[in-house]
Amino acid sequence: ALEKKEVKSKLGEKVGLPCCHEIPSSESLHNYRVYWQKNTTEVVLAYAEGKEIRKHERYKNRTDMNSRNFTLWISPVEILDNGTYQCVVQHLKSSQNSFVVCGETVNLFVTADFSKPNVTAEVSANSCESTEMVVRCSSHGGFPKPKISGTLNNMSVAWNVSWASESSLSPYNVTGELHLNVTKDVIFTCSVEYSGFAKSTSLLLKKTDYCSVPTVPPSYNVITASSIIIIIFLLAITLAARYLPRHVCSHCCKPQNSMEEGVKECTKTPLGSKMTSETSSL
């Protein structure tokens, strides 16, 4: 039975795919024939009697094989390297006689990091009770196809998600959209998960204080009180005008009959008149 292993690597890194046999110290690579193939149809490279006899064009200058344990090294790793590889080892007793020592299958999972999620919130409507928002989360340049999730104050929410990629073996761009009714300030978190990795971004969503209070007409009691105050003010002005003493003009003093009053009302004589009288008496 073929033993199946899994190896993970990130885009651009160096990765080693293990084989199933190691040459004893008493032997050399000349006693073996080794085949590394992908998806059972595509020969990556092959060795026979210590010499490289074949290498796929796409793997040139990117692959090497350990001469003792037949580990296949790939550097730098590309997304297209993602897939199933098989190492087949044959022992050569002679040039015409050989037998299979082992065969092993290895699954290579290549990942590419997504960008840190970008979260935006756009207010679509306001009311006294809540603020309606359209929240979007986007990330790009990663592999494989990701899963996008969100939490609102640690409670999960469902996204309307869309992906974009040139092919199944190309980097992905992902965008999620969500409609929310925010009744208070909350913390929103968006996470992009892919092949055991995850990146997250949090954003504080604030409820907008948008509550227009209608103009309330003054109540009946306020109108009545205001009217009474105005009426009292007008009456006070009228009474003051009627009963306060009038200003008497010293030049226009009306003489009173001393016989009727028994008292002679004196009015100041202008200085000029007094001097005229004295002059006349002289």
Side-chain angles (χ1 to χ4, degrees), residues 120-124 132-136 177-180:
T120 60
E122 179 182 347
V123 176
S124 57
E132 294 184 17
M133 294 184 179
V134 179
V135 181
R136 294 182 178 88
E177 186 174 290
L178 187 65
H179 294 261
L180 294 175

Side-chain angles (χ1 to χ4, degrees), residues 8-11 38 77-83 108-115 139-147 163-174 192-199:
K8 291 184 178 181
S9 177
K10 288 190 176 182
L11 180 68
K38 182 183 179 184
V77 173
E78 300 175 356
I79 291 179
L80 289 176
D81 296 334
N82 196 74
L108 174 60
F109 293 98
V110 180
T111 61
D113 283 335
F114 280 85
S115 64
S139 182
H140 62 272
F143 187 87
K145 187 177 181 179
K147 175 185 176 183
W163 296 270
S165 178
E166 294 181 2
S167 69
S168 60
L169 291 176
S170 297
Y172 283 89
N173 297 334
V174 60
V192 176
E193 303 169 10
Y194 54 102
S195 191
F197 301 96
K199 288 193 174 182

